[in-house]
PDB file of all heavy atoms in Angstrom:
ATOM      1  N   THR A 291      21.927  56.782   5.836  1.00  0.00           N
ATOM      2  CA  THR A 291      23.032  57.541   5.134  1.00  0.00           C
ATOM      3  C   THR A 291      24.313  57.377   5.910  1.00  0.00           C
ATOM      4  O   THR A 291      24.288  56.793   7.043  1.00  0.00           O
ATOM      5  CB  THR A 291      22.586  59.059   5.271  1.00  0.00           C
ATOM      6  OG1 THR A 291      22.553  59.448   6.649  1.00  0.00           O
ATOM      7  CG2 THR A 291      21.366  59.414   4.618  1.00  0.00           C
ATOM      8  N   PRO A 292      25.432  57.706   5.372  1.00  0.00           N
ATOM      9  CA  PRO A 292      26.680  57.525   6.115  1.00  0.00           C
ATOM     10  C   PRO A 292      26.657  58.174   7.524  1.00  0.00           C
ATOM     11  O   PRO A 292      27.183  57.534   8.448  1.00  0.00           O
ATOM     12  CB  PRO A 292      27.739  58.301   5.189  1.00  0.00           C
ATOM     13  CG  PRO A 292      27.147  58.044   3.834  1.00  0.00           C
ATOM     14  CD  PRO A 292      25.670  58.195   4.056  1.00  0.00           C
ATOM     15  N   SER A 293      26.025  59.307   7.609  1.00  0.00           N
ATOM     16  CA  SER A 293      26.038  59.982   8.974  1.00  0.00           C
ATOM     17  C   SER A 293      25.196  59.226   9.964  1.00  0.00           C
ATOM     18  O   SER A 293      25.509  59.076  11.194  1.00  0.00           O
ATOM     19  CB  SER A 293      25.741  61.382   8.880  1.00  0.00           C
ATOM     20  OG  SER A 293      24.408  61.611   8.501  1.00  0.00           O
ATOM     21  N   VAL A 294      24.060  58.693   9.420  1.00  0.00           N
ATOM     22  CA  VAL A 294      23.194  57.929  10.324  1.00  0.00           C
ATOM     23  C   VAL A 294      23.901  56.644  10.716  1.00  0.00           C
ATOM     24  O   VAL A 294      23.941  56.247  11.918  1.00  0.00           O
ATOM     25  CB  VAL A 294      21.838  57.526   9.589  1.00  0.00           C
ATOM     26  CG1 VAL A 294      21.042  56.436  10.316  1.00  0.00           C
ATOM     27  CG2 VAL A 294      21.009  58.876   9.430  1.00  0.00           C
ATOM     28  N   PHE A 295      24.593  55.909   9.820  1.00  0.00           N
ATOM     29  CA  PHE A 295      25.323  54.805  10.099  1.00  0.00           C
ATOM     30  C   PHE A 295      26.476  54.999  11.097  1.00  0.00           C
ATOM     31  O   PHE A 295      26.565  54.245  12.013  1.00  0.00           O
ATOM     32  CB  PHE A 295      25.912  54.320   8.748  1.00  0.00           C
ATOM     33  CG  PHE A 295      26.567  52.956   8.858  1.00  0.00           C
ATOM     34  CD1 PHE A 295      26.047  51.964   9.610  1.00  0.00           C
ATOM     35  CD2 PHE A 295      27.745  52.694   8.193  1.00  0.00           C
ATOM     36  CE1 PHE A 295      26.667  50.631   9.679  1.00  0.00           C
ATOM     37  CE2 PHE A 295      28.418  51.452   8.234  1.00  0.00           C
ATOM     38  CZ  PHE A 295      27.895  50.422   9.023  1.00  0.00           C
ATOM     39  N   CYS A 296      27.146  56.080  10.927  1.00  0.00           N
ATOM     40  CA  CYS A 296      28.197  56.495  11.840  1.00  0.00           C
ATOM     41  C   CYS A 296      27.608  56.716  13.238  1.00  0.00           C
ATOM     42  O   CYS A 296      28.236  56.299  14.266  1.00  0.00           O
ATOM     43  CB  CYS A 296      28.808  57.867  11.319  1.00  0.00           C
ATOM     44  SG  CYS A 296      30.576  57.944  11.653  1.00  0.00           S
ATOM     45  N   LYS A 297      26.468  57.314  13.361  1.00  0.00           N
ATOM     46  CA  LYS A 297      25.863  57.591  14.585  1.00  0.00           C
ATOM     47  C   LYS A 297      25.465  56.249  15.330  1.00  0.00           C
ATOM     48  O   LYS A 297      25.579  56.076  16.435  1.00  0.00           O
ATOM     49  CB  LYS A 297      24.654  58.463  14.441  1.00  0.00           C
ATOM     50  CG  LYS A 297      24.357  59.414  15.556  1.00  0.00           C
ATOM     51  CD  LYS A 297      23.403  60.544  15.154  1.00  0.00           C
ATOM     52  CE  LYS A 297      24.142  61.652  14.450  1.00  0.00           C
ATOM     53  NZ  LYS A 297      23.130  62.658  13.976  1.00  0.00           N
ATOM     54  N   LEU A 299      27.002  53.419  14.941  1.00  0.00           N
ATOM     55  CA  LEU A 299      28.118  52.701  15.301  1.00  0.00           C
ATOM     56  C   LEU A 299      28.676  53.332  16.636  1.00  0.00           C
ATOM     57  O   LEU A 299      29.365  52.666  17.361  1.00  0.00           O
ATOM     58  CB  LEU A 299      29.230  52.766  14.243  1.00  0.00           C
ATOM     59  CG  LEU A 299      28.925  52.073  12.978  1.00  0.00           C
ATOM     60  CD1 LEU A 299      30.102  52.048  12.013  1.00  0.00           C
ATOM     61  CD2 LEU A 299      28.471  50.611  13.201  1.00  0.00           C
ATOM     62  N   GLN A 300      28.340  54.656  16.840  1.00  0.00           N
ATOM     63  CA  GLN A 300      28.731  55.200  18.170  1.00  0.00           C
ATOM     64  C   GLN A 300      28.198  54.601  19.389  1.00  0.00           C
ATOM     65  O   GLN A 300      28.699  54.766  20.444  1.00  0.00           O
ATOM     66  CB  GLN A 300      28.425  56.759  18.142  1.00  0.00           C
ATOM     67  CG  GLN A 300      29.072  57.524  17.035  1.00  0.00           C
ATOM     68  CD  GLN A 300      30.530  57.513  17.068  1.00  0.00           C
ATOM     69  OE1 GLN A 300      31.264  57.585  18.147  1.00  0.00           O
ATOM     70  NE2 GLN A 300      31.201  57.141  15.864  1.00  0.00           N
ATOM     71  N   ILE A 307      34.057  45.907  15.063  1.00  0.00           N
ATOM     72  CA  ILE A 307      33.166  46.255  13.909  1.00  0.00           C
ATOM     73  C   ILE A 307      32.546  44.964  13.300  1.00  0.00           C
ATOM     74  O   ILE A 307      31.400  44.928  12.870  1.00  0.00           O
ATOM     75  CB  ILE A 307      33.830  47.141  12.890  1.00  0.00           C
ATOM     76  CG1 ILE A 307      32.924  47.542  11.728  1.00  0.00           C
ATOM     77  CG2 ILE A 307      35.102  46.442  12.274  1.00  0.00           C
ATOM     78  CD1 ILE A 307      31.848  48.469  12.178  1.00  0.00           C
ATOM     79  N   VAL A 328      32.817  42.218   3.360  1.00  0.00           N
ATOM     80  CA  VAL A 328      32.585  43.734   3.256  1.00  0.00           C
ATOM     81  C   VAL A 328      33.736  44.516   3.936  1.00  0.00           C
ATOM     82  O   VAL A 328      34.228  45.489   3.491  1.00  0.00           O
ATOM     83  CB  VAL A 328      31.299  43.983   4.024  1.00  0.00           C
ATOM     84  CG1 VAL A 328      31.123  45.457   4.392  1.00  0.00           C
ATOM     85  CG2 VAL A 328      30.071  43.513   3.136  1.00  0.00           C
ATOM     86  N   LEU A 329      34.263  43.902   5.110  1.00  0.00           N
ATOM     87  CA  LEU A 329      35.442  44.527   5.745  1.00  0.00           C
ATOM     88  C   LEU A 329      36.660  44.626   4.917  1.00  0.00           C
ATOM     89  O   LEU A 329      37.432  45.525   4.824  1.00  0.00           O
ATOM     90  CB  LEU A 329      35.643  43.961   7.115  1.00  0.00           C
ATOM     91  CG  LEU A 329      34.485  44.336   8.102  1.00  0.00           C
ATOM     92  CD1 LEU A 329      34.655  43.457   9.382  1.00  0.00           C
ATOM     93  CD2 LEU A 329      34.591  45.790   8.500  1.00  0.00           C
ATOM     94  N   GLY A 331      36.654  44.542   1.611  1.00  0.00           N
ATOM     95  CA  GLY A 331      36.369  45.542   0.558  1.00  0.00           C
ATOM     96  C   GLY A 331      36.556  46.999   1.037  1.00  0.00           C
ATOM     97  O   GLY A 331      37.064  47.872   0.341  1.00  0.00           O
ATOM     98  N   ALA A 332      36.237  47.277   2.346  1.00  0.00           N
ATOM     99  CA  ALA A 332      36.352  48.538   2.898  1.00  0.00           C
ATOM    100  C   ALA A 332      37.701  48.836   3.453  1.00  0.00           C
ATOM    101  O   ALA A 332      37.944  49.895   4.065  1.00  0.00           O
ATOM    102  CB  ALA A 332      35.269  48.780   3.954  1.00  0.00           C
ATOM    103  N   LYS A 333      38.596  47.906   3.461  1.00  0.00           N
ATOM    104  CA  LYS A 333      39.963  47.974   3.927  1.00  0.00           C
ATOM    105  C   LYS A 333      39.938  48.320   5.427  1.00  0.00           C
ATOM    106  O   LYS A 333      40.780  49.083   5.935  1.00  0.00           O
ATOM    107  CB  LYS A 333      40.770  49.078   3.185  1.00  0.00           C
ATOM    108  CG  LYS A 333      40.914  48.691   1.749  1.00  0.00           C
ATOM    109  CD  LYS A 333      41.923  49.748   1.100  1.00  0.00           C
ATOM    110  CE  LYS A 333      41.999  49.505  -0.363  1.00  0.00           C
ATOM    111  NZ  LYS A 333      42.904  50.427  -0.995  1.00  0.00           N
ATOM    112  N   LEU A 334      38.970  47.668   6.139  1.00  0.00           N
ATOM    113  CA  LEU A 334      38.890  47.914   7.613  1.00  0.00           C
ATOM    114  C   LEU A 334      39.196  46.630   8.338  1.00  0.00           C
ATOM    115  O   LEU A 334      38.661  45.519   7.946  1.00  0.00           O
ATOM    116  CB  LEU A 334      37.518  48.442   7.937  1.00  0.00           C
ATOM    117  CG  LEU A 334      37.131  49.837   7.587  1.00  0.00           C
ATOM    118  CD1 LEU A 334      35.720  50.045   7.728  1.00  0.00           C
ATOM    119  CD2 LEU A 334      37.944  50.841   8.459  1.00  0.00           C
ATOM    120  N   ARG A 338      38.769  46.435  14.556  1.00  0.00           N
ATOM    121  CA  ARG A 338      38.599  47.874  14.940  1.00  0.00           C
ATOM    122  C   ARG A 338      37.299  48.078  15.754  1.00  0.00           C
ATOM    123  O   ARG A 338      36.268  47.472  15.522  1.00  0.00           O
ATOM    124  CB  ARG A 338      38.376  48.662  13.575  1.00  0.00           C
ATOM    125  CG  ARG A 338      39.605  49.234  13.046  1.00  0.00           C
ATOM    126  CD  ARG A 338      40.215  50.328  13.668  1.00  0.00           C
ATOM    127  NE  ARG A 338      39.407  51.604  13.592  1.00  0.00           N
ATOM    128  CZ  ARG A 338      39.384  52.360  12.440  1.00  0.00           C
ATOM    129  NH1 ARG A 338      40.139  52.056  11.406  1.00  0.00           N
ATOM    130  NH2 ARG A 338      38.623  53.416  12.454  1.00  0.00           N
ATOM    131  N   ALA A 340      34.069  49.645  16.816  1.00  0.00           N
ATOM    132  CA  ALA A 340      33.080  50.236  15.940  1.00  0.00           C
ATOM    133  C   ALA A 340      33.029  51.773  16.042  1.00  0.00           C
ATOM    134  O   ALA A 340      32.864  52.508  15.063  1.00  0.00           O
ATOM    135  CB  ALA A 340      31.721  49.629  16.170  1.00  0.00           C
ATOM    136  N   HIS A 341      33.123  52.207  17.317  1.00  0.00           N
ATOM    137  CA  HIS A 341      32.884  53.695  17.621  1.00  0.00           C
ATOM    138  C   HIS A 341      34.115  54.500  17.123  1.00  0.00           C
ATOM    139  O   HIS A 341      33.955  55.723  17.156  1.00  0.00           O
ATOM    140  CB  HIS A 341      32.643  53.930  19.063  1.00  0.00           C
ATOM    141  CG  HIS A 341      33.781  53.658  19.952  1.00  0.00           C
ATOM    142  ND1 HIS A 341      34.586  54.762  20.347  1.00  0.00           N
ATOM    143  CD2 HIS A 341      34.286  52.639  20.573  1.00  0.00           C
ATOM    144  CE1 HIS A 341      35.595  54.235  21.102  1.00  0.00           C
ATOM    145  NE2 HIS A 341      35.378  53.019  21.287  1.00  0.00           N
ATOM    146  N   THR A 342      35.236  53.877  16.732  1.00  0.00           N
ATOM    147  CA  THR A 342      36.408  54.630  16.261  1.00  0.00           C
ATOM    148  C   THR A 342      36.349  54.926  14.781  1.00  0.00           C
ATOM    149  O   THR A 342      37.205  55.733  14.264  1.00  0.00           O
ATOM    150  CB  THR A 342      37.706  53.911  16.549  1.00  0.00           C
ATOM    151  OG1 THR A 342      37.783  52.747  15.754  1.00  0.00           O
ATOM    152  CG2 THR A 342      37.798  53.556  18.004  1.00  0.00           C
ATOM    153  N   LEU A 343      35.285  54.478  14.055  1.00  0.00           N
ATOM    154  CA  LEU A 343      35.318  54.698  12.643  1.00  0.00           C
ATOM    155  C   LEU A 343      34.874  56.207  12.390  1.00  0.00           C
ATOM    156  O   LEU A 343      33.886  56.641  12.986  1.00  0.00           O
ATOM    157  CB  LEU A 343      34.244  53.792  11.933  1.00  0.00           C
ATOM    158  CG  LEU A 343      34.800  52.491  11.332  1.00  0.00           C
ATOM    159  CD1 LEU A 343      35.337  51.583  12.495  1.00  0.00           C
ATOM    160  CD2 LEU A 343      33.757  51.749  10.520  1.00  0.00           C
ATOM    161  N   ASN A 344      35.621  56.887  11.531  1.00  0.00           N
ATOM    162  CA  ASN A 344      35.169  58.309  11.235  1.00  0.00           C
ATOM    163  C   ASN A 344      34.134  58.213  10.111  1.00  0.00           C
ATOM    164  O   ASN A 344      33.830  57.204   9.587  1.00  0.00           O
ATOM    165  CB  ASN A 344      36.457  59.163  10.923  1.00  0.00           C
ATOM    166  CG  ASN A 344      37.219  58.634   9.670  1.00  0.00           C
ATOM    167  OD1 ASN A 344      36.488  58.174   8.686  1.00  0.00           O
ATOM    168  ND2 ASN A 344      38.455  58.707   9.654  1.00  0.00           N
ATOM    169  N   LEU A 345      33.702  59.472   9.786  1.00  0.00           N
ATOM    170  CA  LEU A 345      32.584  59.530   8.820  1.00  0.00           C
ATOM    171  C   LEU A 345      32.959  59.031   7.493  1.00  0.00           C
ATOM    172  O   LEU A 345      32.198  58.288   6.803  1.00  0.00           O
ATOM    173  CB  LEU A 345      32.169  61.046   8.685  1.00  0.00           C
ATOM    174  CG  LEU A 345      30.949  61.241   7.780  1.00  0.00           C
ATOM    175  CD1 LEU A 345      29.737  60.453   8.212  1.00  0.00           C
ATOM    176  CD2 LEU A 345      30.535  62.740   7.709  1.00  0.00           C
ATOM    177  N   LYS A 346      34.158  59.329   7.005  1.00  0.00           N
ATOM    178  CA  LYS A 346      34.742  58.781   5.729  1.00  0.00           C
ATOM    179  C   LYS A 346      34.684  57.330   5.716  1.00  0.00           C
ATOM    180  O   LYS A 346      34.247  56.625   4.720  1.00  0.00           O
ATOM    181  CB  LYS A 346      36.117  59.291   5.551  1.00  0.00           C
ATOM    182  CG  LYS A 346      36.818  58.787   4.301  1.00  0.00           C
ATOM    183  CD  LYS A 346      36.309  59.257   3.019  1.00  0.00           C
ATOM    184  CE  LYS A 346      37.034  58.723   1.861  1.00  0.00           C
ATOM    185  NZ  LYS A 346      36.315  58.944   0.644  1.00  0.00           N
ATOM    186  N   GLU A 347      35.217  56.670   6.852  1.00  0.00           N
ATOM    187  CA  GLU A 347      35.243  55.218   6.920  1.00  0.00           C
ATOM    188  C   GLU A 347      33.886  54.620   6.971  1.00  0.00           C
ATOM    189  O   GLU A 347      33.592  53.577   6.342  1.00  0.00           O
ATOM    190  CB  GLU A 347      36.110  54.788   8.156  1.00  0.00           C
ATOM    191  CG  GLU A 347      37.584  55.071   7.940  1.00  0.00           C
ATOM    192  CD  GLU A 347      38.393  54.846   9.309  1.00  0.00           C
ATOM    193  OE1 GLU A 347      37.826  55.179  10.408  1.00  0.00           O
ATOM    194  OE2 GLU A 347      39.469  54.336   9.223  1.00  0.00           O
ATOM    195  N   CYS A 348      32.943  55.274   7.644  1.00  0.00           N
ATOM    196  CA  CYS A 348      31.539  54.745   7.661  1.00  0.00           C
ATOM    197  C   CYS A 348      30.906  54.723   6.320  1.00  0.00           C
ATOM    198  O   CYS A 348      30.218  53.874   5.859  1.00  0.00           O
ATOM    199  CB  CYS A 348      30.671  55.622   8.659  1.00  0.00           C
ATOM    200  SG  CYS A 348      31.077  55.363  10.374  1.00  0.00           S
ATOM    201  N   SER A 349      31.233  55.888   5.563  1.00  0.00           N
ATOM    202  CA  SER A 349      30.731  56.076   4.314  1.00  0.00           C
ATOM    203  C   SER A 349      31.268  54.933   3.303  1.00  0.00           C
ATOM    204  O   SER A 349      30.547  54.311   2.507  1.00  0.00           O
ATOM    205  CB  SER A 349      31.172  57.442   3.736  1.00  0.00           C
ATOM    206  OG  SER A 349      30.673  57.564   2.453  1.00  0.00           O
ATOM    207  N   VAL A 350      32.596  54.677   3.350  1.00  0.00           N
ATOM    208  CA  VAL A 350      33.171  53.633   2.528  1.00  0.00           C
ATOM    209  C   VAL A 350      32.582  52.278   2.901  1.00  0.00           C
ATOM    210  O   VAL A 350      32.267  51.428   2.026  1.00  0.00           O
ATOM    211  CB  VAL A 350      34.766  53.665   2.646  1.00  0.00           C
ATOM    212  CG1 VAL A 350      35.258  52.437   2.046  1.00  0.00           C
ATOM    213  CG2 VAL A 350      35.341  54.896   2.084  1.00  0.00           C
ATOM    214  N   LEU A 351      32.434  51.979   4.168  1.00  0.00           N
ATOM    215  CA  LEU A 351      31.987  50.758   4.689  1.00  0.00           C
ATOM    216  C   LEU A 351      30.528  50.472   4.113  1.00  0.00           C
ATOM    217  O   LEU A 351      30.207  49.441   3.641  1.00  0.00           O
ATOM    218  CB  LEU A 351      32.029  50.687   6.206  1.00  0.00           C
ATOM    219  CG  LEU A 351      31.543  49.433   6.869  1.00  0.00           C
ATOM    220  CD1 LEU A 351      32.193  48.221   6.358  1.00  0.00           C
ATOM    221  CD2 LEU A 351      31.668  49.596   8.423  1.00  0.00           C
ATOM    222  N   LEU A 352      29.712  51.577   4.274  1.00  0.00           N
ATOM    223  CA  LEU A 352      28.311  51.408   3.848  1.00  0.00           C
ATOM    224  C   LEU A 352      28.273  51.267   2.311  1.00  0.00           C
ATOM    225  O   LEU A 352      27.491  50.316   1.817  1.00  0.00           O
ATOM    226  CB  LEU A 352      27.574  52.723   4.287  1.00  0.00           C
ATOM    227  CG  LEU A 352      26.096  52.775   4.040  1.00  0.00           C
ATOM    228  CD1 LEU A 352      25.413  51.598   4.820  1.00  0.00           C
ATOM    229  CD2 LEU A 352      25.508  54.137   4.419  1.00  0.00           C
ATOM    230  N   GLY A 353      29.000  51.998   1.516  1.00  0.00           N
ATOM    231  CA  GLY A 353      28.960  51.853   0.156  1.00  0.00           C
ATOM    232  C   GLY A 353      29.481  50.502  -0.368  1.00  0.00           C
ATOM    233  O   GLY A 353      28.948  49.915  -1.234  1.00  0.00           O
ATOM    234  N   THR A 354      30.641  49.980   0.336  1.00  0.00           N
ATOM    235  CA  THR A 354      31.148  48.733  -0.062  1.00  0.00           C
ATOM    236  C   THR A 354      30.077  47.578   0.341  1.00  0.00           C
ATOM    237  O   THR A 354      29.970  46.627  -0.497  1.00  0.00           O
ATOM    238  CB  THR A 354      32.385  48.422   0.769  1.00  0.00           C
ATOM    239  OG1 THR A 354      33.324  49.546   0.561  1.00  0.00           O
ATOM    240  CG2 THR A 354      33.076  47.118   0.426  1.00  0.00           C
ATOM    241  N   MET A 355      29.452  47.769   1.430  1.00  0.00           N
ATOM    242  CA  MET A 355      28.394  46.684   1.804  1.00  0.00           C
ATOM    243  C   MET A 355      27.427  46.624   0.793  1.00  0.00           C
ATOM    244  O   MET A 355      26.967  45.579   0.355  1.00  0.00           O
ATOM    245  CB  MET A 355      27.803  47.036   3.123  1.00  0.00           C
ATOM    246  CG  MET A 355      26.820  46.084   3.649  1.00  0.00           C
ATOM    247  SD  MET A 355      25.787  46.696   4.949  1.00  0.00           S
ATOM    248  CE  MET A 355      24.924  48.009   4.130  1.00  0.00           C
ATOM    249  N   LYS A 424      42.982  48.142   7.878  1.00  0.00           N
ATOM    250  CA  LYS A 424      43.516  48.817   9.068  1.00  0.00           C
ATOM    251  C   LYS A 424      42.424  49.206   9.993  1.00  0.00           C
ATOM    252  O   LYS A 424      41.321  49.533   9.616  1.00  0.00           O
ATOM    253  CB  LYS A 424      44.289  50.126   8.554  1.00  0.00           C
ATOM    254  CG  LYS A 424      45.466  49.811   7.797  1.00  0.00           C
ATOM    255  CD  LYS A 424      46.505  49.030   8.497  1.00  0.00           C
ATOM    256  CE  LYS A 424      47.726  48.599   7.590  1.00  0.00           C
ATOM    257  NZ  LYS A 424      48.566  47.624   8.275  1.00  0.00           N
TER     258      LYS A 424
END
Side-chain angles (χ1 to χ4, degrees):
Chain A
T291 61
S293 65
V294 167
F295 186 40
C296 216
K297 213 165 278 173
L299 297 186
Q300 298 303 311
I307 185 65
V328 165
L329 288 168
K333 300 187 183 179
L334 289 167
R338 270 286 290 282
H341 71 94
T342 67
L343 269 65
N344 62 35
L345 184 59
K346 172 72 181 162
E347 290 172 320
C348 289
S349 178
V350 169
L351 179 55
L352 187 59
T354 303
M355 179 195 70
K424 298 298 179 192

